[in-house]
Amino acid sequence: MRQFDVIVLEENSPLFNNWILPFEDPALGWLHDSDWNRPLQSIDAEWVVFANPAVKIDRDFLNSLAECIEGFPMVDAFAPRVKFESHFYGGLLLNGAKGFAPISENEKMRFVAAPSPLIAVFSSRIIQRTGLFDLDLPPEFRLLDYALRMAHAGGKMFNVPYLVASLNEGNYARHLTGQFLHEKQAIAPLWEIYYKSLPVAQLSAFTFRHLTMLPKFLGLDKGKKRRQFKRDKATSLSKLSAEYLKDIMCNV
C-alpha cells in the first residue's frame, strides 16, 4: 500500500486541463479527475490528499504531512493551511446561525469543522466510513460537507500551523478568506449542509436568519424526501459528540 494518494479535483477549466504531474515517487499515487467520486474507487494509500490544481503539492508538504500523521495518531483528517500573498489561511469553524468562518491566521493547533475548499487530507479508513462526495453541492462546499459527515463517522479534523501548502497560480482569495461563504448563492448549499449534519437547534437558527430557506425547513418543496434520506445516511449511528461539536465552534 502506498503512503499517499493525491487526488487533484476541479470542474473542467484551463487550469485543470493543463495540469501536469509534479513528480513521481513509489510511495505516492496521483489521480486527476473532474469527477469527484470516481477516484475514490482507486485509492490505494493510507492517506489521501484532495487538492485543487492551483495548490502546490511538493515533497516538503508531504514530508510535513508525514510528521503530522506520526505526531497525531488520534486524528483522521487534517486541514492544511494555504499560503497566499504572505498570509496563511487554514480551516473553517462552525459559526452558529451565521454559517462557517475561517480560523484566525494566528490560531494554534485545534480541531476544525472543515478544511479550506482548496485542500484537505483524510485517512483512507475514514473515507471508507464516510462514503462519496455529495455532487448536488457546488464544488467549493463539498469538502466542508464531507468533513462534517466524517465527524458523524467518528473522525476528527485537525489544524496544524506548520502543515502548509502554497498556490501555484490563480486568484483564489474568495475561497481562502471565506468570502464565498457570505455570498447570496451560498445560503442554499449551507442550509443543505446544516440540514444533513447539524442538530435541529442550529438548523433552526440558521433558517430563521435566512428566511428564504423557511419553505424547505417546513418541508414544502419537492426535495424533502431526498434531503431526509441524506440526513439519515449521514447521521445513522452517529459518533458526533456534543464535546467535539463544541471543539469545532468559534470561540465568540
Side-chain angles (χ1 to χ4, degrees):
M1 178 177 274
R2 295 188 292 259
Q3 185 176 14
F4 300 116
D5 277 336
V6 180
I7 302 179
V8 181
L9 294 167
E10 193 184 41
E11 305 297 329
N12 286 326
S13 70
L15 181 59
F16 179 85
N17 295 334
N18 295 329
W19 181 85
I20 59 173
L21 186 70
F23 64 94
E24 294 187 65
D25 190 293
L28 180 64
W30 294 93
L31 300 165
H32 178 234
D33 209 318
S34 58
D35 182 324
W36 282 55
N37 284 325
R38 186 161 47 205
L40 297 184
Q41 315 303 320
S42 303
I43 291 173
D44 188 36
E46 295 181 36
W47 287 83
V48 182
V49 180
F50 296 97
N52 183 282
V55 178
K56 183 179 181 182
I57 304 297
D58 55 20
R59 293 184 187 277
D60 287 342
F61 171 77
L62 294 175
N63 287 337
S64 293
L65 176 57
E67 292 177 8
C68 289
I69 291 168
E70 184 177 0
F72 304 100
M74 70 300 209
V75 173
D76 299 283
F78 292 94
R81 297 202 299 169
V82 178
K83 184 178 181 182
F84 179 70
E85 294 184 347
S86 301
H87 292 281
F88 296 88
Y89 302 93
L92 303 173
L93 297 174
L94 188 59
N95 196 20
K98 296 180 181 179
F100 295 82
I103 63 171
S104 165
E105 186 172 3
N106 300 317
E107 188 72 71
K108 297 180 180 179
M109 296 181 195
R110 66 165 297 164
F111 291 113
V112 292
S116 156
L118 299 185
I119 184 171
V121 181
F122 295 88
S123 69
S124 58
R125 64 182 179 274
I126 204 64
I127 290 173
Q128 291 175 352
R129 296 177 194 167
T130 306
L132 301 175
F133 287 105
D134 185 347
L135 302 184
D136 292 335
L137 294 170
E140 60 263 43
F141 293 93
R142 291 174 188 169
L143 286 172
L144 191 163
D145 171 71
Y146 201 80
L148 286 181
R149 286 165 48 211
M150 175 203 69
H152 284 290
K156 295 183 177 182
M157 175 164 275
F158 207 46
N159 181 85
V160 182
Y162 58 80
L163 181 59
V164 180
S166 58
L167 290 185
N168 284 316
E169 56 182 297
N171 182 8
Y172 285 87
R174 65 181 286 274
H175 293 81
L176 297 172
T177 61
Q179 178 187 338
F180 77 102
L181 295 166
H182 304 291
E183 296 169 354
K184 185 177 180 179
Q185 61 266 35
I187 296 173
L190 285 174
W191 189 88
E192 295 286 345
I193 291 169
Y194 263 64
Y195 185 94
K196 189 188 305 179
S197 294
L198 293 176
V200 174
Q202 295 195 25
L203 172 65
S204 300
F206 187 82
T207 300
F208 286 101
R209 187 179 177 89
H210 304 283
L211 290 177
T212 55
M213 296 293 104
L214 190 56
K216 286 188 174 184
F217 181 77
L218 297 174
L220 302 178
D221 68 314
K222 295 180 180 179
K224 177 183 178 181
K225 189 174 293 186
R226 178 174 173 80
R227 189 179 304 119
Q228 186 62 47
F229 172 79
K230 288 182 179 181
R231 179 177 175 85
D232 290 344
K233 189 174 181 180
T235 60
S236 177
L237 303 177
S238 175
K239 298 178 182 178
L240 175 59
S241 67
E243 181 181 357
Y244 182 64
L245 194 59
K246 184 178 179 180
D247 286 342
I248 60 178
M249 294 281 292
C250 289
N251 294 327
V252 292

